[in-house]
């Protein structure tokens, strides 16, 4: 079974039996390989104030600040903090990094003589920084404003003619990440819920990864716990003040852990399906993850019992029943979509989606069977209980 370059790490000699065997508590017997990554992380309320020092720490003097058009104001605040270390603001980041967007941003960085990028935003903005870094090697300081987790990974993506290419390259891994919960204060509930579920998906798949290891499994379980506990408060607009700030901080901590888990081990059927559905049917990234996750989890239920136990345990009050139904209950509690139909998937595309999902499949704890995948997609389209 093939491994896609971006979601699957290099095959490891001992990987085949390390995944499902990564037990609830490490018993000292499993062989594993763990690679640590040296990103510097600043965390907490007010940490954005350290941005100029962090840019200086990289030896940079002219930072290009990146953002989406919608987040121009947040980028202007970051540029104001940077003072004369800001070379300019480039506000053209877009979902899935279209090649022409990447070329325009690279040209702008060169024109302004930028020697680093400050990415203020979600996965799309960090992705644009990575596209610049890929050819120029410019270091990235990431200031995340969603829970996508891209800031912790060496995975890049570029879309050309509707086809998304992805890969791994250590030079795109942001050198410094500043997690300031203040960046999340403007995040609307309808983006926050799915974005949080996207982060949980990284943790779920890390727990049954072919190359799972005890460190990443601890990180992943704690990531689910932090997100499941905080997200219902994050999306509750009636909660304000100190309680809200604490929930944003806890969710951001969970997103950091989730990004770390995504970078640390290989992903499986869930990420393959989301990649296929998002790329071929132009569905929203975080929304697709939100809908598919309970079904992908149910697909692996029998094949990865220890992972299921850890997911349930981490889901807290949502984990009373089964891991898959708990994840769907959490999505519902967040007011997030729970069917492919709701997010614009055409019913007549399900056969093609199943065909694509079984082509070059990622390793998965349960073998990938076309009929079972097709029937899972049917359940997901209708939003039925995950079987
Ligand atoms: P996004 O970055 O596209 O943001 C979604 C929308 O939310 C945008 O309109 C943005 O302007 C807005 N937004 C973001 N933060 C906001 C805030 N605090 N307040 C108000 N509005 C805000 O979405 P995303 O889900 O963060 O990222 C999705 C992209 O990231 C996809 O292309 C996906 O493939 C990629 N991704 C990559 C990795 C990786 O490791 N390479 C990991 C996760 C996601």
């Amino acid at each position: 079974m093939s491994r896609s370059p971006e979601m699957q790490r290099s095959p490891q000699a001992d990987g085949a039996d390390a995944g499902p065997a990564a037990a609830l508590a490490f018993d000292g017997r499993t062989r594993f390989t763990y690679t640590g990554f040296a990103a510097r992380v600043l965390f907490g309320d007010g940490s954005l104030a350290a941005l100029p020092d962090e840019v200086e720490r990289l030896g940079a003097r002219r930072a290009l600040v990146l953002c989406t058009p919608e987040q121009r104001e947040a980028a202007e605040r970051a540029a104001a903090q940077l003072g004369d270390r800001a070379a300019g603001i480039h506000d053209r980041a877009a979902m899935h990094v279209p090649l022409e967007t990447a070329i325009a941003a690279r040209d702008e960085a060169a024109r302004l003589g930028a020697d680093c990028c400050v990415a203020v935003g979600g996965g799309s903005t960090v992705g644009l920084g990575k596209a610049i870094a890929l050819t120029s090697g410019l270091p990235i300081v990431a200031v995340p404003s969603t829970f996508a987790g891209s800031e912790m990974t060496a995975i890049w993506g570029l879309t050309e003619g509707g086809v998304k290419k992805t890969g791994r390259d250590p030079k795109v891994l942001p050198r410094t990440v500043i997690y300031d919960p203040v960046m999340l204060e403007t995040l609307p509930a309808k983006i926050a819920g799915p974005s949080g579920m996207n982060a949980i998906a990284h943790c779920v798949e890390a727990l049954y990864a072919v190359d799972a290891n005890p460190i990443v499994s601890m990180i992943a379980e704690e990531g689910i716990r932090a997100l499941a506990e905080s997200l219902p408060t994050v999306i509750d607009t009636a909660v304000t003040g100190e309680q809200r700030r604490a929930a944003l901080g806890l969710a951001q901590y969970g997103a950091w852990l989730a990004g770390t888990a995504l970078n640390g081990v290989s992903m499986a059927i869930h990420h393959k399906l989301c990649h296929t559905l998002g790329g071929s049917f132009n569905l929203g990234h975080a929304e697709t993850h939100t809908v598919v996750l309970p079904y992908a989890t149910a697909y692996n239920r029998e094949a990865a019992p220890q992972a299921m136990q850890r997911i349930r345990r981490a889901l807290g009050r949502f984990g009373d029943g089964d891991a898959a139904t708990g994840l769907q209950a959490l999505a519902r509690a967040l007011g997030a979509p729970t069917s492919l139909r709701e997010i614009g998937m055409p019913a007549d595309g399900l056969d093609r989606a199943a065909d694509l999902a079984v082509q070059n499949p990622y390793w998965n704890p349960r073998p990938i069977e076309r009929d079972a995948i097709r029937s899972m997609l049917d359940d997901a389209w209708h939003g039925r209980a995950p079987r």
Side-chain angles (χ1 to χ4, degrees):
M1 198 166 279
S2 76
R3 293 155 180 265
S4 91
E6 78 288 12
M7 295 301 175
Q8 304 256 288
R9 302 187 53 75
S10 329
Q12 297 171 6
D14 55 349
D17 62 350
L24 287 188
F26 182 56
D27 66 5
R29 281 179 301 192
T30 313
R31 291 176 62 212
F32 64 87
T33 301
Y34 169 74
T35 307
F37 290 89
R40 178 175 158 86
V41 172
L42 281 78
F43 196 96
D45 266 335
S47 50
L48 188 59
L51 180 60
D53 290 347
E54 292 304 316
V55 167
E56 189 176 344
R57 212 168 178 278
L58 295 176
R61 311 198 151 270
R62 293 185 60 75
L64 177 62
V65 181
L66 305 171
C67 62
T68 58
E70 299 85 14
Q71 283 186 282
R72 174 92 202 183
E73 221 177 287
E76 277 170 4
R77 269 184 280 132
Q81 294 254 7
L82 284 168
D84 60 10
R85 282 187 192 271
I89 298 177
H90 185 74
D91 66 2
R92 309 252 55 96
M95 185 79 85
H96 302 314
V97 198
L99 183 62
E100 48 290 3
T101 311
I103 292 171
R106 286 169 187 165
D107 289 351
E108 182 73 344
R111 191 182 68 78
L112 293 169
D115 54 8
C116 94
C117 290
V118 173
V120 178
S124 299
T125 304
V126 174
L128 184 59
K130 289 176 169 180
I132 296 172
L134 196 58
T135 52
S136 67
L138 288 191
I140 303 168
V141 177
V143 184
S145 70
T146 69
F147 306 120
S150 176
E151 66 281 356
M152 292 310 297
T153 81
I155 303 165
W156 56 265
L158 273 173
T159 305
E160 188 178 7
V163 179
K164 187 165 177 178
K165 264 203 263 173
T166 52
R168 276 186 189 260
D169 192 323
K171 53 171 186 292
V172 308
L173 183 73
R175 298 270 286 277
T176 309
V177 183
I178 301 180
Y179 284 110
D180 190 333
V182 80
M183 297 304 299
L184 302 168
E185 275 172 4
T186 51
L187 197 62
K190 72 173 197 322
I191 299 180
S195 181
M197 293 302 297
N198 180 195
I200 290 178
H202 306 329
C203 299
V204 165
E205 292 233 291
L207 284 168
Y208 53 62
V210 63
D211 46 1
N213 63 68
I215 310 292
V216 171
S217 294
M218 278 193 294
I219 289 173
E221 185 175 341
E222 173 68 353
I224 299 174
R225 183 201 66 78
L227 286 155
E229 192 178 317
S230 57
L231 288 171
T233 310
V234 166
I235 59 104
D236 185 348
T237 48
V239 179
T240 55
E242 186 46 44
Q243 204 191 342
R244 177 162 182 75
R245 269 203 299 280
L248 291 175
L250 187 57
Q252 200 167 38
Y253 163 71
W256 167 39
L257 299 178
T260 306
L262 172 65
N263 198 41
V265 292
S266 305
M267 297 290 113
I269 182 67
H270 169 78
H271 280 74
K272 169 72 183 182
L273 273 172
C274 292
H275 195 127
T276 302
L277 292 168
S280 308
F281 301 95
N282 198 26
L283 309 181
H285 176 81
E287 290 75 12
T288 308
H289 274 270
T290 306
V291 171
V292 172
L293 184 60
Y295 300 98
T297 307
Y299 188 86
N300 286 327
R301 185 184 279 146
E302 313 300 332
Q306 285 168 340
M308 298 299 140
Q309 238 179 299
R310 293 185 82 151
I311 296 163
R312 284 184 47 212
R313 181 165 75 183
L315 281 171
R317 69 189 161 100
F318 295 100
D320 283 349
D322 155 85
T325 51
L327 290 164
Q328 196 171 58
L330 174 59
R332 283 220 169 85
L334 300 178
T338 50
S339 70
L340 288 176
R341 177 175 45 183
E342 275 171 88
I343 62 169
M345 174 74 194
D348 63 6
L350 294 176
D351 276 320
R352 187 156 74 92
D355 291 340
L356 292 170
V358 300
Q359 283 169 18
N360 305 314
Y362 299 0
W363 180 91
N364 190 64
R366 172 180 164 190
I368 306 295
E369 296 147 14
R370 202 250 175 219
D371 289 351
I373 297 289
R374 176 65 181 83
S375 128
M376 182 226 282
L377 287 172
D378 200 61
D379 285 348
W381 192 84
H382 287 95
R384 297 187 190 111
R387 286 183 281 168

